[in-house]
Amino acid sequence: MPNTLNVDDMKSRLIGGGARPNLFKVFIGWPEKVRVSRPNLETTSLMCKMASLPGSTVANIEVPFRGRKLQVAGDRSFDPWSITVINDNDFGVRNAFEQWMNGINDHVENTGKMNPDDYYSTMNVIQLDKSGKEIREYEIHGVWPTSLSPMELDYGAESTIGEFTVEFQVQYWTNKHSAPASGGRPSQNPTPNFVGGDRSA
């Protein structure tokens, strides 16, 4: 290992100029069994202003032994995932999320879908490079919305467009650009069923 590093060493390792956080796209797979006015997939992808590559946590278990604590791995949990959406005049994307959540629990009757498979969905978030090539894709499974943010109205707001945030619960996610670890198995649903149009739209 060299004793000193310089800016040229950094440059040689920054392949492709580095992954840019503003180069991404999101595909929302609307659930088939919830009555939703599904917006065009291209519209939902373009209106998604902010997202994240999903995270997870492997819990720690402390095992006491003679005054010491042995740290061993526990179970994995998957963090909630959220997106921020630019609101258009037709409220198309927001209306779809309102209907999805209403299908889970009705505003008035307090009824809704009981089988998780009826309201779960699959979403994809994709990192792009500067040429538009897909360099990393995460497929997020068992997704359903738990929170739809309010939208503030303000006489004093100037030169702004309304936006809202949706938070989802996540069952698990897979990295579609990496092979499973030794002894693992690939996703059972490698190609999600994107309701409302062809994903390539």
Side-chain angles (χ1 to χ4, degrees), residues 11 78 105 142 180 183 186 198 200:
K11 179 183 66 176
F78 293 88
N105 184 264
D198 186 350
S200 63

Side-chain angles (χ1 to χ4, degrees), residues 30 47 53 70 87 89 108 113 121-122 124 136 138 145 168:
W30 304 102
M47 292 296 103
L53 302 181
L70 173 66
N87 194 42
N89 279 349
V108 178
K113 299 292 183 181
S121 184
T122 301
N124 290 55
R136 177 71 60 151
Y138 290 88
F168 305 91

